Amino acid sequence: MAVPVAFFGVFFAYPVAAIVGRGLDVDGGWRPGRIVDVLGQSGIRHVLWFTTWQALASTALTLLVALPGAYVLARYDFPGRQVLRAVVTVPFVLPTVVVGTAFLALVGRGGLLDELWGVRLDTTVWAILLAHVFFNYAVVVRTVGGLWAQLDPRQEEAARMLGASPFAAWRTVTLPALGPALAAAALMVFLFTFTSFGVVQILGGPTFATLEVEIYRQTSEIFDLSTAAVLTIVQFLAVGAILAVHAWTVRRRETALRLVDASRTARRPRGPRQWALLGAVLATVAVLLVLPLAVLVQRSLDAPDFAYYRALTRDDGGTFLVPPIQAIGTSLQYALAATVIAVAIGALAAAALARRDAGRLVRGFDALLMLPLGVSAVTVGFGFLIALDEPPLNLRSSWILVPLAQALVGVPFVVRTMLPVLRAVDDRLREAAAVLGASPWRVWREVDLPLVRRALLVAAGFAFAVSLGEFGATVFIARPGHPTLPVAVARLLGRPGDLNYGQAMALSTILMVVCAVALLILERLRTDRSGEF
């Protein structure tokens, strides 16, 4: 635990405390009644209420829509399965401003629904909820499906032979085993929607605002750092309480599971019901995930002769110091570095947390690992600039600052992906290896590693995807001459003119393609190695 604790202490707790402390130190000191003053405002109370209930609604809707997809990708073997797995992950790495723009083109004035049926959803909360499902679909599919694929199906088949209906067998056998993964997925979706920024900023308009949007408005538009600091503390306390409840609930439901090679559990669909389920999942993915992406591609090709793409190779001397196309290489380098950091830190933390003899202090750190997903990215970005600009941590001009910020978001995904599998490993396997004379390192290498290799690769893919699309903190610390793809897209969207908008759509399309290729490579690597264990 030493390395993960030091990492989060230096690169998360210290920067956040620095920016919050500066915001609270107003007019020569801090007044405790300031929190009451801020929360007493009717507008702030409305923001708190909307932030909470839309996050709950988004989480429930995402689980309802994505669980069938998790089952299909975990249990069914069909042509194009790897492509489908990559497709459902691509939306998750898109900058939230792009997701909001894509859905505005679908459900807003002059959008696809407006043109076909005269229906507009941009003035309702449904646009926000659907965009959140689009963004978080992969979280449920990857987190729950990763464990589902390794559950031994013979346990459910045994319940069926004893007379249980398909639903009863799933409810009494499979659902309890999936409990920790379901709780982890629900927690991540809730945290992402609780701190939603770009989607609500674009689709919410003046009617809807989350805490994240209000913190940004208080910081950059009103310049009221005191109110922004209070809202950050409120957000921090709310997220901390949620994580504490989650850790207590998951710990009570832990159990050793019988895990098998995932390649042996997937089979071809049988019967009309299974084919109908596969068809329904494919239709859902096509309408909810592929259609918005298709809108982005269509917008990027509106100009003749690929004019928007050709413009990316030119230096306009204004928005960027380099041609926008260079953001591709920069993003890949940063994402690879962030993935290495996130996997190293996350794997150490997961290994420590998986021990059943871990003390309360170690188990409490489980919840703290999720805080970067629930704390304002605006706060983290500003905190990096303020806290890491003088010795011995003078990193403000260093390139490593961006991967460090991206890794903060990637580590929770590594931990949440690996922890259910590590905790499901039967301790008797480790004890038997130790009795036979194996050292702790050899026990890990020959017992734990073969079972968690799949989860480790999934975690690495998630960390890479998250790093590639991280925007909230990166926008404040990315150097002008080395913008990432999300930062470049946001800058282009912020400038008027069809050419800038078209270039933003072109860069978004490139980001989708890069992510899809990377995920397909990961899927191929994981499939090729699946026969080794």
Side-chain angles (χ1 to χ4, degrees):
M1 291 301 299
V3 175
V5 168
F7 178 81
F8 274 85
V10 173
F11 298 112
F12 176 70
Y14 175 50
V16 170
I19 185 63
V20 172
R22 179 167 297 192
L24 296 179
D25 187 14
V26 180
D27 298 329
W30 156 248
R31 293 188 301 107
R34 180 59 178 159
I35 295 180
V36 178
D37 295 340
V38 172
L39 298 182
Q41 302 174 24
S42 60
I44 297 298
R45 290 200 303 269
H46 176 74
V47 168
L48 291 172
W49 166 245
F50 175 75
T51 301
T52 303
W53 85 258
Q54 67 82 24
L56 290 172
S58 297
T59 302
L61 188 60
T62 302
L63 290 173
L64 180 65
V65 173
L67 278 179
Y71 173 77
V72 165
L73 286 172
R75 293 301 198 192
Y76 290 174
D77 184 16
F78 53 91
R81 182 186 179 199
Q82 295 179 20
V83 175
L84 180 63
R85 194 187 299 272
V87 167
V88 301
T89 308
V90 169
F92 187 73
V93 305
L94 291 179
T96 53
V97 290
V98 177
V99 175
T101 303
F103 270 82
L104 193 63
L106 285 177
V107 303
R109 183 188 300 274
L112 184 62
L113 294 183
D114 192 14
E115 292 179 354
L116 294 179
W117 298 293
V119 176
R120 289 181 54 191
L121 298 177
D122 57 321
T123 57
T124 70
V125 73
W126 280 106
I128 296 175
L129 297 181
L130 291 176
H132 283 162
V133 175
F134 168 89
F135 189 76
N136 293 291
Y137 188 93
V139 175
V140 178
V141 170
R142 289 270 176 172
T143 306
V144 179
L147 179 60
W148 208 334
Q150 290 186 272
L151 294 181
D152 192 343
R154 291 176 295 183
Q155 298 183 22
E156 189 171 321
E157 293 170 358
R160 293 288 309 279
M161 292 181 63
L162 293 174
S165 64
F167 177 75
W170 178 82
R171 179 175 56 83
T172 58
V173 177
T174 304
L175 183 58
L178 292 175
L182 280 169
L187 175 67
M188 285 189 285
V189 173
F190 182 85
L191 290 180
F192 273 117
T193 53
F194 189 80
T195 59
S196 182
F197 175 62
V199 169
V200 179
Q201 179 83 342
I202 294 176
L203 297 176
T207 306
F208 305 109
T210 58
L211 267 175
E212 187 84 357
V213 174
E214 187 64 22
I215 291 173
Y216 176 81
R217 190 176 72 90
Q218 295 288 342
T219 302
S220 62
E221 297 179 8
I222 303 178
F223 304 107
D224 187 351
L225 291 182
S226 177
T227 299
V230 170
L231 294 180
T232 299
I233 293 175
V234 171
Q235 188 181 57
F236 186 87
L237 293 176
V239 171
I242 295 167
L243 293 176
V245 173
H246 165 78
W248 179 77
T249 303
V250 171
R251 194 72 186 179
R252 284 172 58 90
R253 301 186 63 179
E254 287 175 2
T255 181
L257 303 177
R258 179 181 176 85
L259 301 181
V260 297
D261 181 1
S263 64
R264 300 174 184 173
T265 62
R267 53 180 174 79
R268 300 278 293 184
R270 303 172 184 171
R273 290 186 178 181
Q274 294 186 2
W275 282 106
L277 177 60
L278 175 59
V281 169
L282 293 177
T284 300
V285 171
V287 173
L288 186 62
L289 305 185
V290 176
L291 187 58
L293 302 182
V295 171
L296 294 181
V297 176
Q298 184 269 329
R299 293 289 180 90
S300 72
L301 298 174
D302 274 349
D305 300 326
F306 302 98
Y308 294 147
Y309 288 91
R310 289 189 288 107
L312 295 176
T313 62
R314 299 194 295 266
D315 183 5
D316 61 3
T319 307
F320 305 100
L321 300 179
V322 296
I325 197 70
Q326 291 191 16
I328 300 174
T330 301
S331 289
L332 291 176
Q333 293 172 12
Y334 286 161
L336 287 173
T339 300
V340 172
I341 297 172
V343 169
I345 299 297
L348 287 173
L353 293 169
R355 294 181 60 89
R356 300 189 184 278
D357 58 349
R360 291 185 177 181
L361 183 62
V362 175
R363 294 198 298 269
F365 190 65
D366 185 9
L368 296 180
L369 288 171
M370 300 296 293
L371 284 178
L373 300 183
V375 173
S376 169
V378 175
T379 302
V380 175
F382 273 127
F384 265 51
L385 294 179
I386 291 175
L388 305 179
D389 64 342
E390 57 185 20
L393 290 173
N394 187 8
L395 301 176
R396 188 167 183 173
S397 59
S398 174
W399 68 271
I400 196 64
L401 201 61
V402 175
L404 286 173
Q406 294 174 344
L408 280 174
V409 184
V411 168
F413 285 94
V414 176
V415 175
R416 296 266 70 84
T417 302
M418 294 186 62
L419 197 54
V421 178
L422 281 171
R423 284 175 170 170
V425 176
D426 195 336
D427 281 336
R428 290 174 297 181
L429 297 176
R430 301 188 182 103
E431 294 168 358
V435 169
L436 293 175
S439 64
W441 163 246
R442 188 174 181 183
V443 171
W444 161 257
R445 180 168 54 87
E446 297 190 7
V447 176
D448 293 82
L449 184 58
L451 291 174
V452 304
R453 184 183 290 125
R454 175 186 173 89
L456 185 64
L457 289 172
V458 172
F462 243 141
F464 180 82
V466 170
S467 301
L468 199 62
E470 205 284 324
F471 171 72
T474 305
V475 69
F476 296 102
I477 57 180
R479 290 178 290 177
H482 297 82
T484 62
L485 277 171
V487 172
V489 169
R491 290 180 182 175
L492 288 168
L493 285 175
R495 296 184 64 185
D498 291 339
L499 179 61
N500 290 314
Y501 185 79
Q503 289 184 82
M505 296 301 102
L507 274 182
S508 299
T509 302
I510 292 173
L511 178 58
M512 287 190 294
V513 173
V514 171
C515 176
V517 171
L519 292 173
L520 283 173
I521 293 174
L522 177 67
E523 290 298 322
R524 177 63 62 182
L525 176 64
R526 188 174 63 180
T527 303
D528 290 344
R529 290 189 174 184
S530 63
E532 297 178 5
F533 59 94

